[in-house]
Amino acid sequence: MVFILLNTYSAPLERIDELIPEHRAWVKGHFAAGRFLFGGRRIPRTGGFVVAAGDDVDEMDRLLAEDPLVRHQVVEWTPIHVEAQFTNSDELRRLLTRHGAPTETVTAPEPPAEYPAADASPTTVHFVDQAITIEAGITLAELADRFGLPWEESSLEVDRRVVPREEWSAQRVPVGAQVTVVKLAPGG
């Protein structure tokens, strides 16, 4: 079984930022021990989230009480006990199964490997849920650079297909595509 752990800040971000190094050390210790599977910040920045392995609610409550942000009374955690059932990733399925949360892998049909060539006119794409106009033929690498995305911390999806980072320089953004950015960061 797994938990979705949501935390909500109860102090100004300036105070949270003072305590983040201590909090991140605590978080990273639980990642290293295999208790936390993935996590990051909520957007807008009102707290964070973690997906954690476990099936004992009381044990999870004790673990969260040790968070430095809890000890400093600037955050409240909400543990939500869930049963993972589906994923679209064999790697995630293996990870969840290893932590006692067996899932079924469901795969969507693969989009075409090659998109039709674009003409030379500007095109509109949906980037992070916002319609933007870009020049035809721009690559994912150019799009990422234009918006200042840190390559090492970001993943890009084109029409719900994750594009491996090593393909960004060659992958042209198709006309009318939905480009989604995923940025993961440990801790709150």
Side-chain angles (χ1 to χ4, degrees), residues 7 26 30 46 51 72 78-79 82 85 89 98 114 116 121 133 138 140 144 157 160 166 174 179 183 187:
N7 73 29
W26 174 80
H30 289 293
T46 58
V51 174
H72 289 282
T78 303
V82 297
Q85 294 178 319
S89 162
R98 188 169 60 238
E114 292 295 323
S121 60
T133 301
I138 189 171
L140 286 176
E157 291 181 356
R160 299 183 63 188
E166 58 272 9
V179 180
K183 182 178 178 186

mmCIF file of all heavy atoms in Angstrom, residues 7 26 30 46 51 72 78-79 82 85 89 98 114 116 121 133 138 140 144 157 160 166 174 179 183 187:
data_model
loop_
_atom_site.group_PDB
_atom_site.id
_atom_site.type_symbol
_atom_site.label_atom_id
_atom_site.label_comp_id
_atom_site.label_asym_id
_atom_site.label_seq_id
_atom_site.Cartn_x
_atom_site.Cartn_y
_atom_site.Cartn_z
ATOM 1 N N ASN A 7 1.344 18.236 2.425
ATOM 2 C CA ASN A 7 1.559 19.167 3.524
ATOM 3 C C ASN A 7 1.138 20.559 3.094
ATOM 4 O O ASN A 7 1.167 20.901 1.914
ATOM 5 C CB ASN A 7 2.984 19.116 4.086
ATOM 6 C CG ASN A 7 4.045 19.722 3.209
ATOM 7 O OD1 ASN A 7 3.801 20.630 2.436
ATOM 8 N ND2 ASN A 7 5.255 19.224 3.330
ATOM 9 N N TRP A 26 15.724 15.724 6.179
ATOM 10 C CA TRP A 26 14.792 14.716 6.700
ATOM 11 C C TRP A 26 14.139 13.952 5.550
ATOM 12 O O TRP A 26 14.076 12.721 5.555
ATOM 13 C CB TRP A 26 13.742 15.418 7.572
ATOM 14 C CG TRP A 26 12.628 14.549 8.058
ATOM 15 C CD1 TRP A 26 12.650 13.681 9.114
ATOM 16 C CD2 TRP A 26 11.310 14.462 7.491
ATOM 17 N NE1 TRP A 26 11.422 13.063 9.237
ATOM 18 C CE2 TRP A 26 10.589 13.529 8.257
ATOM 19 C CE3 TRP A 26 10.672 15.086 6.423
ATOM 20 C CZ2 TRP A 26 9.264 13.206 7.994
ATOM 21 C CZ3 TRP A 26 9.351 14.760 6.151
ATOM 22 C CH2 TRP A 26 8.667 13.821 6.937
ATOM 23 N N HIS A 30 14.458 9.756 4.181
ATOM 24 C CA HIS A 30 13.367 8.804 3.931
ATOM 25 C C HIS A 30 13.387 8.282 2.493
ATOM 26 O O HIS A 30 13.012 7.135 2.251
ATOM 27 C CB HIS A 30 12.021 9.404 4.306
ATOM 28 C CG HIS A 30 11.861 9.536 5.793
ATOM 29 N ND1 HIS A 30 11.778 8.440 6.621
ATOM 30 C CD2 HIS A 30 11.810 10.630 6.600
ATOM 31 C CE1 HIS A 30 11.664 8.848 7.875
ATOM 32 N NE2 HIS A 30 11.689 10.170 7.886
ATOM 33 N N THR A 46 2.093 26.260 -1.801
ATOM 34 C CA THR A 46 1.392 26.302 -0.511
ATOM 35 C C THR A 46 1.782 25.132 0.364
ATOM 36 O O THR A 46 1.273 24.989 1.471
ATOM 37 C CB THR A 46 -0.131 26.262 -0.735
ATOM 38 O OG1 THR A 46 -0.453 25.065 -1.463
ATOM 39 C CG2 THR A 46 -0.613 27.487 -1.499
ATOM 40 N N VAL A 51 4.688 10.708 -2.235
ATOM 41 C CA VAL A 51 4.062 9.396 -2.312
ATOM 42 C C VAL A 51 4.986 8.467 -1.540
ATOM 43 O O VAL A 51 6.190 8.397 -1.822
ATOM 44 C CB VAL A 51 3.865 8.919 -3.763
ATOM 45 C CG1 VAL A 51 3.346 7.492 -3.792
ATOM 46 C CG2 VAL A 51 2.902 9.863 -4.486
ATOM 47 N N HIS A 72 8.672 22.671 14.126
ATOM 48 C CA HIS A 72 8.673 24.140 14.203
ATOM 49 C C HIS A 72 7.269 24.719 14.041
ATOM 50 O O HIS A 72 7.102 25.938 14.017
ATOM 51 C CB HIS A 72 9.603 24.738 13.144
ATOM 52 C CG HIS A 72 11.054 24.522 13.442
ATOM 53 N ND1 HIS A 72 11.742 25.277 14.362
ATOM 54 C CD2 HIS A 72 11.945 23.639 12.934
ATOM 55 C CE1 HIS A 72 13.002 24.872 14.411
ATOM 56 N NE2 HIS A 72 13.150 23.871 13.557
ATOM 57 N N THR A 78 -1.254 15.898 5.794
ATOM 58 C CA THR A 78 -2.466 15.106 5.640
ATOM 59 C C THR A 78 -2.083 13.807 4.934
ATOM 60 O O THR A 78 -1.804 13.821 3.730
ATOM 61 C CB THR A 78 -3.523 15.862 4.810
ATOM 62 O OG1 THR A 78 -3.798 17.103 5.430
ATOM 63 C CG2 THR A 78 -4.796 15.039 4.676
ATOM 64 N N PRO A 79 -2.025 12.693 5.670
ATOM 65 C CA PRO A 79 -1.730 11.415 5.011
ATOM 66 C C PRO A 79 -3.021 10.795 4.454
ATOM 67 O O PRO A 79 -4.027 10.704 5.148
ATOM 68 C CB PRO A 79 -1.158 10.564 6.140
ATOM 69 C CG PRO A 79 -1.703 11.162 7.394
ATOM 70 C CD PRO A 79 -2.016 12.603 7.116
ATOM 71 N N VAL A 82 -3.920 5.095 0.200
ATOM 72 C CA VAL A 82 -4.520 4.736 -1.084
ATOM 73 C C VAL A 82 -4.048 3.362 -1.527
ATOM 74 O O VAL A 82 -3.019 2.860 -1.069
ATOM 75 C CB VAL A 82 -4.192 5.775 -2.182
ATOM 76 C CG1 VAL A 82 -4.775 7.139 -1.836
ATOM 77 C CG2 VAL A 82 -2.705 5.874 -2.434
ATOM 78 N N GLN A 85 -3.733 1.019 -8.248
ATOM 79 C CA GLN A 85 -4.301 -0.032 -9.079
ATOM 80 C C GLN A 85 -3.771 -0.015 -10.506
ATOM 81 O O GLN A 85 -3.639 -1.060 -11.112
ATOM 82 C CB GLN A 85 -5.820 0.076 -9.103
ATOM 83 C CG GLN A 85 -6.448 -0.191 -7.741
ATOM 84 C CD GLN A 85 -7.954 -0.034 -7.785
ATOM 85 O OE1 GLN A 85 -8.479 0.875 -8.420
ATOM 86 N NE2 GLN A 85 -8.653 -0.915 -7.102
ATOM 87 N N SER A 89 3.368 2.779 -16.612
ATOM 88 C CA SER A 89 4.815 2.605 -16.625
ATOM 89 C C SER A 89 5.186 1.271 -15.969
ATOM 90 O O SER A 89 4.865 1.040 -14.797
ATOM 91 C CB SER A 89 5.466 3.758 -15.857
ATOM 92 O OG SER A 89 6.777 3.447 -15.479
ATOM 93 N N ARG A 98 7.073 -3.728 -5.500
ATOM 94 C CA ARG A 98 8.132 -3.980 -4.515
ATOM 95 C C ARG A 98 7.738 -3.438 -3.139
ATOM 96 O O ARG A 98 8.154 -3.947 -2.111
ATOM 97 C CB ARG A 98 9.446 -3.348 -5.005
ATOM 98 C CG ARG A 98 10.638 -3.711 -4.146
ATOM 99 C CD ARG A 98 11.974 -3.332 -4.757
ATOM 100 N NE ARG A 98 12.120 -1.914 -5.001
ATOM 101 C CZ ARG A 98 12.367 -1.370 -6.192
ATOM 102 N NH1 ARG A 98 12.459 -2.111 -7.263
ATOM 103 N NH2 ARG A 98 12.499 -0.073 -6.326
ATOM 104 N N GLU A 114 6.911 9.799 -36.216
ATOM 105 C CA GLU A 114 7.220 11.015 -36.956
ATOM 106 C C GLU A 114 5.936 11.799 -37.174
ATOM 107 O O GLU A 114 4.929 11.248 -37.612
ATOM 108 C CB GLU A 114 7.844 10.677 -38.314
ATOM 109 C CG GLU A 114 9.222 10.070 -38.200
ATOM 110 C CD GLU A 114 10.247 11.029 -37.611
ATOM 111 O OE1 GLU A 114 10.196 12.236 -37.908
ATOM 112 O OE2 GLU A 114 11.096 10.566 -36.833
ATOM 113 N N PRO A 116 3.852 14.867 -39.127
ATOM 114 C CA PRO A 116 3.952 15.461 -40.455
ATOM 115 C C PRO A 116 4.779 16.736 -40.403
ATOM 116 O O PRO A 116 4.772 17.461 -39.407
ATOM 117 C CB PRO A 116 2.493 15.772 -40.828
ATOM 118 C CG PRO A 116 1.636 15.282 -39.721
ATOM 119 C CD PRO A 116 2.507 14.762 -38.634
ATOM 120 N N SER A 121 4.964 28.618 -41.705
ATOM 121 C CA SER A 121 4.234 29.642 -40.976
ATOM 122 C C SER A 121 4.251 29.345 -39.479
ATOM 123 O O SER A 121 4.434 28.210 -39.062
ATOM 124 C CB SER A 121 2.795 29.712 -41.487
ATOM 125 O OG SER A 121 2.165 28.474 -41.288
ATOM 126 N N THR A 133 2.132 30.958 -29.570
ATOM 127 C CA THR A 133 2.510 30.896 -30.978
ATOM 128 C C THR A 133 4.018 30.829 -31.060
ATOM 129 O O THR A 133 4.718 31.612 -30.414
ATOM 130 C CB THR A 133 1.983 32.130 -31.736
ATOM 131 O OG1 THR A 133 0.565 32.164 -31.608
ATOM 132 C CG2 THR A 133 2.360 32.068 -33.207
ATOM 133 N N ILE A 138 10.454 24.623 -34.652
ATOM 134 C CA ILE A 138 11.222 24.752 -33.411
ATOM 135 C C ILE A 138 11.350 23.376 -32.747
ATOM 136 O O ILE A 138 10.430 22.558 -32.815
ATOM 137 C CB ILE A 138 10.578 25.783 -32.458
ATOM 138 C CG1 ILE A 138 11.492 26.082 -31.266
ATOM 139 C CG2 ILE A 138 9.221 25.309 -31.980
ATOM 140 C CD1 ILE A 138 11.012 27.250 -30.411
ATOM 141 N N LEU A 140 12.106 20.824 -29.352
ATOM 142 C CA LEU A 140 11.806 20.838 -27.914
ATOM 143 C C LEU A 140 12.937 21.494 -27.137
ATOM 144 O O LEU A 140 12.695 22.200 -26.155
ATOM 145 C CB LEU A 140 11.563 19.416 -27.404
ATOM 146 C CG LEU A 140 10.238 18.784 -27.794
ATOM 147 C CD1 LEU A 140 10.181 17.350 -27.305
ATOM 148 C CD2 LEU A 140 9.066 19.573 -27.257
ATOM 149 N N ALA A 144 12.410 24.534 -24.658
ATOM 150 C CA ALA A 144 12.836 24.459 -23.255
ATOM 151 C C ALA A 144 13.761 25.615 -22.908
ATOM 152 O O ALA A 144 13.621 26.249 -21.856
ATOM 153 C CB ALA A 144 13.522 23.124 -22.979
ATOM 154 N N GLU A 157 6.481 16.287 -22.298
ATOM 155 C CA GLU A 157 5.571 15.383 -22.978
ATOM 156 C C GLU A 157 5.023 16.107 -24.198
ATOM 157 O O GLU A 157 4.695 17.290 -24.116
ATOM 158 C CB GLU A 157 4.380 15.024 -22.084
ATOM 159 C CG GLU A 157 4.708 14.162 -20.912
ATOM 160 C CD GLU A 157 3.470 13.822 -20.085
ATOM 161 O OE1 GLU A 157 2.366 14.336 -20.401
ATOM 162 O OE2 GLU A 157 3.604 13.057 -19.142
ATOM 163 N N ARG A 160 0.984 13.762 -24.708
ATOM 164 C CA ARG A 160 0.940 12.725 -23.676
ATOM 165 C C ARG A 160 2.007 11.646 -23.834
ATOM 166 O O ARG A 160 1.908 10.585 -23.257
ATOM 167 C CB ARG A 160 -0.457 12.103 -23.591
ATOM 168 C CG ARG A 160 -1.516 13.146 -23.231
ATOM 169 C CD ARG A 160 -2.851 12.559 -23.082
ATOM 170 N NE ARG A 160 -2.813 11.607 -21.964
ATOM 171 C CZ ARG A 160 -3.794 10.804 -21.660
ATOM 172 N NH1 ARG A 160 -4.882 10.815 -22.381
ATOM 173 N NH2 ARG A 160 -3.695 9.975 -20.660
ATOM 174 N N GLU A 166 17.385 13.147 -24.483
ATOM 175 C CA GLU A 166 18.375 13.065 -25.555
ATOM 176 C C GLU A 166 17.740 13.266 -26.936
ATOM 177 O O GLU A 166 18.456 13.470 -27.916
ATOM 178 C CB GLU A 166 19.166 11.755 -25.494
ATOM 179 C CG GLU A 166 18.338 10.505 -25.577
ATOM 180 C CD GLU A 166 17.826 9.989 -24.230
ATOM 181 O OE1 GLU A 166 17.962 10.695 -23.205
ATOM 182 O OE2 GLU A 166 17.279 8.888 -24.216
ATOM 183 N N PRO A 174 5.217 19.584 -33.149
ATOM 184 C CA PRO A 174 4.211 19.500 -34.209
ATOM 185 C C PRO A 174 3.162 20.602 -34.089
ATOM 186 O O PRO A 174 2.885 21.105 -32.995
ATOM 187 C CB PRO A 174 3.559 18.139 -33.995
ATOM 188 C CG PRO A 174 4.245 17.502 -32.859
ATOM 189 C CD PRO A 174 5.168 18.484 -32.230
ATOM 190 N N VAL A 179 2.109 20.373 -25.363
ATOM 191 C CA VAL A 179 3.417 20.174 -24.739
ATOM 192 C C VAL A 179 3.240 20.401 -23.247
ATOM 193 O O VAL A 179 2.782 21.447 -22.818
ATOM 194 C CB VAL A 179 4.483 21.122 -25.315
ATOM 195 C CG1 VAL A 179 5.830 20.898 -24.641
ATOM 196 C CG2 VAL A 179 4.601 20.957 -26.825
ATOM 197 N N LYS A 183 8.155 19.064 -13.723
ATOM 198 C CA LYS A 183 9.359 19.367 -12.964
ATOM 199 C C LYS A 183 9.211 18.751 -11.588
ATOM 200 O O LYS A 183 8.323 19.113 -10.841
ATOM 201 C CB LYS A 183 9.585 20.877 -12.860
ATOM 202 C CG LYS A 183 10.863 21.231 -12.124
ATOM 203 C CD LYS A 183 11.087 22.727 -12.090
ATOM 204 C CE LYS A 183 12.349 23.019 -11.306
ATOM 205 N NZ LYS A 183 12.566 24.423 -11.114
ATOM 206 N N GLY A 187 11.163 16.963 -1.606
ATOM 207 C CA GLY A 187 10.851 17.797 -0.454
ATOM 208 C C GLY A 187 9.813 18.855 -0.776
ATOM 209 O O GLY A 187 9.261 18.925 -1.845
#
